[in-house]
Amino acid sequence: MALYIIEVPIDQFATEKPNPETNLKGFTIPLIRLRSANATQNLLLNPGGPGASGFEFLYRRGEQLKAILGESFHFLTFDPRGVNSSTPAASCYPDAKTRQEKSHIQARDAPADSPEIYAWAQNFAKACIETMGDYAPYINTPQTAADMNSILDAVGQADMIYWGFSYGTLLGQTYAGLFPERSKRVVIDGVVNQFEWYEGVGLSEDLIDTENVLDGFFDECMKADAGSCALASLATSKEELSEMVLSSLDQLRHQPLDVYINNTVYGILTYEKVWYNGVFAALYKPPLWSSLAQNLYSLLQGNATPAFLAYNTAGEQTDESLNFVELNDGRTGSPHWPQGKDSLLAQITPWLNQSLFSTAFLTSYYQKQQWAVPRTHPYVPRRGVETAHPLLILSTTYDPICPLVSARAANEAFAGSQVVEVEGYGHCSIAVGSVCVAKHLRAFLHEGTLPDAYTRCKVDSAYFGNPDEHGRMAAQAYFEDTEDQKIHLAQLELMAGWEFSRSTVW
């Protein structure tokens, strides 16, 4: 792999040259490229976030992507401004110790926790501004989209060839909206609704299919045998199984469980840890379904240790790029949000009742209310945008955070674009295996060929099955064509090892 570093202006849309007396440099953007034997052009990748590292993504999954798409492109990715190894990093804290001490706030129950969240969010907003100073307003999606032109220019490429996942679909749509003349091959996969992201306030469509994925987990479990889904032995129908699991977790909400392993490994297992670190996380990624089922089975049998070991800790946040991007992109502050604790709580309570998973958004509402960084970007989404070549839009039927309806909104936004729907569950097309999808990707990226109409692809992978210790899974379908079989195996390895590093939009 080859490494590069470029510097981009602090404000890509400035009409005047920066004042040298301010002594403000731009952002440094690191690039990494995995070369292919027959390639003459670069496929630019973004794994999501906001805040996911392109470097980590290509190091971990570059070879599988190459097997799926072939050797026709170099694979190029980057850490966006404010993210990971770019500088300056988007931070609300002067050091890791302060972040650990100041960043955590209890957000389990809106009425009970609202007073502390309200007070905490005011300090959070002030700390972000003080820490980042004049850089604070320029960590946003349109600026990153413009940085992508700087990346193309640096590698000597005129046209954008792009595949973005999750938040990367927002970045792809923003790029196509700002620079349609350079958007020659843009794939968006697991789509964020750009109209809601930039212009919406409050209730989001993000979670409208989350319960459908949860229902799919129980349904597919009952179709599997108990060896693949341990929960299947406890019920005779998906409805009975769902009621059993949800009832048990509700008891955990009211009475957390103590888990003691030894004098250094022990603690409390709470409902929130199981629900969000376990259940919600697994809905993104079906290869986790077997282990989730096993851990829930043990919990229902009175053994909380497996769930405690798996879900009681989550990855520590290392920067605030997610917060900066979301808050700088959208509608924030007093013009758009009611001020005061009680008025905000009254507004958001109906939204929190829309989904079993809505509490995931609780803290972000208070951050949006208190955010005081001015919105500096010029982007306004619009419909009917004509790009150099129409977009390819990928989505599963039931995505827990980027629903199919958002893909349809993107279809309306970009003239001539087409949707390929993977008839399955999970976040982005790579959550499951489908050689059909891979063939549409290859045809689009290599020749610019889109389906003639809205297209559906079957899933080739099983929902319940465990990868081995190396992250590999046995073939779950067999194809006469050796290239198709190679694609299938690469997809299984990709989906088993795929890391959604803060790739949600909450």
Side-chain angles (χ1 to χ4, degrees):
M1 291 192 185
L3 304 176
Y4 311 87
I5 294 177
I6 65 171
E7 185 167 315
V8 297
I10 186 172
D11 182 4
Q12 288 275 18
F13 303 103
T15 55
E16 299 178 1
K17 292 184 177 180
N19 183 353
E21 295 181 3
T22 62
N23 202 32
L24 271 180
K25 297 181 180 179
F27 291 85
T28 60
I29 307 296
L31 315 177
I32 185 170
R33 178 160 59 181
L34 174 63
R35 292 184 175 275
S36 295
N38 304 320
T40 58
Q41 291 187 298
N42 299 279
L43 170 62
L44 190 62
L45 301 160
N46 181 276
S53 168
F55 267 41
E56 181 182 2
F57 171 61
L58 197 58
Y59 267 120
R60 289 171 57 87
R61 298 300 149 204
E63 293 300 330
Q64 289 88 45
L65 292 171
K66 186 184 289 190
I68 291 167
L69 294 182
E71 296 274 352
S72 296
F73 297 100
H74 303 305
F75 293 85
L76 176 67
T77 189
F78 63 108
D79 282 351
R81 57 171 63 198
V83 174
N84 198 39
S85 55
S86 68
T87 58
S91 178
C92 297
Y93 306 99
D95 51 58
K97 183 175 183 293
T98 306
R99 174 177 293 108
Q100 187 175 21
E101 293 174 350
K102 305 292 187 184
S103 64
H104 299 290
I105 184 71
Q106 181 168 294
R108 300 177 180 176
D109 178 81
D113 297 333
S114 177
E116 289 193 19
I117 301 172
Y118 177 70
W120 174 87
Q122 294 178 71
N123 287 332
F124 174 82
K126 293 171 186 174
C128 294
I129 293 174
E130 181 177 352
T131 304
M132 292 308 296
D134 291 335
Y135 286 98
Y138 302 104
I139 303 170
N140 60 50
T141 302
Q143 292 286 350
T144 298
D147 292 343
M148 288 160 63
N149 276 341
S150 298
I151 293 170
L152 288 186
D153 295 343
V155 298
Q157 185 166 312
D159 298 320
M160 176 59 71
I161 305 172
Y162 177 82
W163 186 6
F165 307 89
S166 192
Y167 164 78
T169 70
L170 181 81
L171 183 58
Q173 291 173 86
T174 305
Y175 182 90
L178 286 169
F179 310 108
E181 71 285 352
R182 295 187 79 167
S183 300
K184 188 173 182 181
R185 300 280 191 277
V186 174
V187 181
I188 53 175
D189 189 343
V191 181
V192 175
N193 186 324
Q194 61 166 336
F195 298 97
E196 286 205 349
W197 180 273
Y198 285 111
E199 304 299 321
V201 176
L203 182 65
S204 169
E205 70 186 23
D206 295 342
L207 298 176
I208 64 172
D209 276 335
T210 315
E211 273 85 351
N212 288 327
V213 184
L214 181 61
D215 184 72
F217 167 76
F218 292 121
D219 187 34
E220 294 295 334
C221 177
M222 294 308 300
K223 293 176 183 176
D225 57 62
S228 299
C229 181
L231 289 170
S233 64
L234 300 180
T236 58
S237 69
K238 69 172 184 178
E239 291 80 11
E240 182 185 357
L241 181 58
S242 174
E243 172 61 28
M244 184 182 301
V245 171
L246 296 182
S247 176
S248 176
L249 292 181
D250 193 52
Q251 294 176 31
L252 187 62
R253 185 201 301 270
H254 299 292
Q255 180 55 65
L257 296 174
D258 59 292
V259 177
Y260 189 93
I261 298 171
N262 57 46
N263 63 357
T264 61
V265 182
Y266 62 90
I268 305 299
L269 181 66
T270 65
Y271 167 85
E272 288 76 21
K273 294 290 188 181
V274 177
W275 191 244
Y276 288 107
N277 295 348
V279 176
F280 194 28
L283 298 186
Y284 285 57
K285 184 177 170 180
L288 294 176
W289 285 14
S290 284
S291 61
L292 174 65
Q294 183 61 58
N295 292 336
L296 291 176
Y297 174 84
S298 297
L299 187 61
L300 267 62
Q301 299 302 302
N303 179 9
T305 300
F308 174 82
L309 293 174
Y311 310 132
N312 208 52
T313 58
E316 285 296 319
Q317 190 167 320
T318 57
D319 63 49
E320 283 65 53
S321 53
L322 182 154
N323 307 100
F324 270 98
V325 172
E326 181 180 11
L327 295 168
N328 282 342
D329 279 359
R331 299 297 187 186
T332 57
S334 57
H336 307 287
W337 291 86
Q339 297 301 291
K341 171 179 65 67
D342 294 337
S343 56
L344 179 63
L345 182 60
Q347 178 164 311
I348 68 177
T349 296
W351 306 340
L352 295 172
N353 292 332
Q354 294 297 308
S355 168
L356 295 171
F357 299 90
S358 292
T359 307
F361 289 90
L362 180 56
T363 302
S364 70
Y365 292 135
Y366 290 85
Q367 292 172 331
K368 290 176 181 180
Q369 180 198 43
Q370 298 299 327
W371 197 246
V373 177
R375 190 185 196 190
T376 61
H377 70 75
Y379 184 64
V380 178
R382 62 193 193 278
R383 291 175 172 80
V385 175
E386 294 190 5
T387 49
H389 191 83
L391 278 64
L392 175 62
I393 303 169
L394 305 179
S395 176
T396 58
T397 303
Y398 298 111
D399 188 308
I401 196 65
C402 294
L404 181 60
V405 66
S406 298
R408 297 183 189 276
N411 193 199
E412 294 179 3
F414 295 98
S417 61
Q418 287 290 2
V419 176
V420 174
E421 174 191 338
V422 189
E423 295 181 309
Y425 305 100
H427 185 38
C428 305
S429 72
I430 43 72
V432 291
S434 174
V435 171
C436 168
V437 167
K439 288 183 174 181
H440 282 294
L441 269 167
R442 284 191 172 197
F444 176 75
L445 290 171
H446 296 177
E447 291 91 33
T449 304
L450 281 164
D452 293 332
Y454 190 103
T455 299
R456 292 180 173 88
C457 282
K458 298 293 184 182
V459 172
D460 303 323
S461 56
Y463 285 101
F464 284 88
N466 287 311
D468 64 22
E469 65 273 18
H470 304 292
R472 294 188 294 262
M473 298 182 75
Q476 296 170 2
Y478 292 92
F479 300 86
E480 292 184 4
D481 187 289
T482 56
E483 185 67 14
D484 289 353
Q485 193 68 25
K486 177 183 175 183
I487 291 170
H488 173 63
L489 292 173
Q491 286 180 326
L492 295 180
E493 190 171 345
L494 178 63
M495 64 189 247
W498 184 265
E499 295 290 340
F500 290 109
S501 177
R502 293 198 297 139
S503 60
T504 64
V505 290
W506 49 270

